[in-house]
Amino acid sequence: MYPHIRTALGAFIAIVQSTLAPGVFAFAIAASFLLQPYGANAQSVSQAHEAPHIVTNQAFLENLAGSAAFDVDDIGQVFGHILTQLPDRVHVYPTENYYYFRFFQNGVEYAGNIRLATADRDEGLVHFAYFPAANAGRSEGEMRYKLLGSDDGVAIERLGPLSYSITYQGRTVIFDLNDLSTVEPPPELIADDEIYLGPVYDESGIQFYLMYNQRLKIFHYVLNERAAIPDALIPASYTDRIVIGRRSGFAFYRDAGLDRKILIGVHAANVAVNNYYDGPFDQLPDNFNTDDRLRLAIEESDPSTAGQIDRYGYYNSGIGRYLIGPYTQFTKEQDLVNFHLCATNPELDASLYYSCFAVQGGGVQ
């Protein structure tokens, strides 16, 4: 993704332009199933809460020193190795259906994912990608990617609406996708002129409602507070209207009109290394996109996309997916003050209030 994002706060102010760091597939900076202190077996969120495990430097160093028994340049070998390391059944939490992993090979950390995409999983196809992970000193390395299917010896079977098995070289793993079909925001959290486009379960573990304001033609990610929030939200030093996640670095504005929190920023350092905390733009509610509402909202907000995208927001030309990123990147909490200045500006027309929290732009994720 190489989108160029322009931040606008209605007609009032503009926040600094920024460019998303390269990378198509987000990856974990936390544990993966291949790094032993984090556990080789998949756990549900509730199980993890009942029995939290510790992370040790010893295990990290011992995994780092190892050398995987496969050719890292051979996509088939890597895919087979990943499947053998998984339990028989796993749960895919993110709503764009990415199952993330990471491993070390000769001292180099690799990140990647297995994705059962809504568009082609029922055609017997699965997306597989991995690459040398980015860090503070270097960007990501060359990506190895392949759309795998029967020609590659990979069999995909649909077991239910949101359950699939993947079989390769005699190994079968069942992937249960996240069923959020009953998740809806309470009516009192939906502003006038807004429509709800679906639930978002971010790879950070934080959940959102994707909203679209038809009058202002802007999107918002609204925090789902009916779900557990696995973070501590700390007020900014200059106003308690802005709160920032201690773990995630996600910044929210406490809506003065409704009892809700709107995502206004993600930390630039997380975007730079393309980790779990780079924002929910890549976790749209694909499994619950059953009509043209998302496409129509994108086309209305950005007329240049009219006739150019499908109902998921993918460009018909194949260049990628339209970026819905209505938030800025920041490095310190003072970078967010303009959101508050806009929202509390006594001269601001009340009808433009929600434009204070919109990052306009577009681009391709």
Side-chain angles (χ1 to χ4, degrees):
M1 49 194 168
Y2 299 90
H4 190 65
I5 299 178
R6 178 175 56 83
T7 305
L9 300 182
F12 180 56
I13 54 172
I15 296 178
V16 180
Q17 279 191 327
S18 58
T19 302
L20 287 181
V24 177
F25 299 90
F27 62 91
I29 61 167
S32 82
F33 58 83
L34 295 177
L35 302 184
Q36 249 321 310
Y38 305 91
N41 293 323
Q43 288 184 312
S44 69
V45 171
S46 61
Q47 289 173 321
H49 288 169
E50 292 169 4
H53 47 252
I54 65 168
V55 177
T56 69
N57 179 251
Q58 174 189 348
F60 167 77
L61 294 175
E62 290 173 355
N63 276 281
L64 179 65
S67 179
F70 55 81
D71 179 359
V72 76
D73 295 319
D74 187 314
I75 291 177
Q77 287 190 37
V78 177
F79 185 70
H81 180 75
I82 299 302
L83 285 187
T84 64
Q85 297 297 306
L86 291 176
D88 293 340
R89 193 169 202 134
V90 299
H91 191 89
V92 184
Y93 287 100
T95 38
E96 283 194 21
N97 306 304
Y98 291 101
Y99 192 82
Y100 296 104
F101 60 82
R102 64 194 296 155
F103 61 87
F104 288 98
Q105 168 80 311
N106 297 326
V108 176
E109 184 178 28
Y110 287 81
N113 63 81
I114 297 169
R115 186 188 185 206
L116 286 161
T118 310
D120 48 27
R121 64 194 182 212
D122 287 333
E123 298 174 13
L125 299 172
V126 60
H127 300 256
F128 180 63
Y130 60 98
F131 47 86
N135 56 48
R138 293 188 66 86
S139 59
E140 294 163 359
E142 180 182 359
M143 179 183 296
R144 294 169 177 84
Y145 163 81
K146 191 169 185 181
L147 183 60
L148 300 172
S150 58
D151 290 346
D152 306 289
V154 177
I156 313 296
E157 182 180 358
R158 186 177 188 269
L159 306 177
L162 292 173
S163 186
Y164 292 80
S165 67
I166 299 179
T167 300
Y168 181 65
Q169 295 181 343
R171 171 63 175 157
T172 297
V173 176
I174 296 173
F175 289 73
D176 292 318
L177 309 180
N178 207 353
D179 186 358
L180 302 177
S181 56
T182 62
V183 173
E184 291 192 9
E188 62 270 20
L189 298 190
I190 302 176
D192 292 342
D193 305 308
E194 276 186 350
I195 60 171
Y196 172 56
L197 294 175
V200 169
Y201 199 118
D202 187 53
E203 67 264 39
S204 65
I206 296 176
Q207 299 184 53
F208 301 89
Y209 306 118
L210 178 58
M211 313 297 293
Y212 178 66
N213 189 305
Q214 296 176 295
R215 181 174 56 82
L216 297 174
K217 299 179 174 53
I218 55 176
F219 296 91
H220 291 308
Y221 291 96
V222 174
L223 181 64
N224 177 358
E225 299 187 70
R226 284 190 163 185
I229 302 173
D231 205 350
L233 302 181
I234 311 299
S237 59
Y238 49 83
T239 177
D240 63 2
R241 281 286 165 198
I242 293 175
V243 293
I244 303 172
R246 182 175 293 280
R247 174 181 67 91
S248 66
F250 288 174
F252 298 90
Y253 197 86
R254 293 175 49 243
D255 190 340
L258 301 174
D259 185 17
R260 64 181 191 173
K261 298 178 180 69
I262 300 170
L263 182 68
I264 58 172
V266 299
H267 202 282
N270 293 321
V271 176
V273 295
N274 191 21
N275 63 25
Y276 271 175
Y277 309 115
D278 64 351
F281 69 95
D282 56 354
Q283 301 302 342
L284 299 185
D286 286 358
N287 295 330
F288 318 103
N289 184 347
T290 59
D291 54 34
D292 280 335
R293 284 181 303 161
L294 178 64
R295 178 183 64 81
L296 293 172
I298 293 172
E299 291 183 348
E300 184 177 68
S301 68
D302 186 348
S304 70
T305 64
Q308 305 298 314
I309 57 175
D310 66 13
R311 67 186 175 96
Y312 297 104
Y314 285 98
Y315 282 93
N316 300 327
S317 65
I319 62 171
R321 189 174 197 172
Y322 186 83
L323 175 72
I324 299 178
Y327 44 82
T328 193
Q329 299 173 31
F330 71 98
T331 57
K332 54 187 183 299
E333 68 176 39
Q334 287 76 13
D335 296 338
L336 303 167
V337 69
N338 283 338
F339 289 97
H340 185 55
L341 293 176
C342 179
T344 57
N345 175 22
E347 298 181 1
L348 181 71
D349 187 321
S351 67
L352 298 177
Y353 175 75
Y354 287 112
S355 68
C356 287
F357 315 118
V359 173
Q360 306 281 5
V364 182
Q365 58 160 282

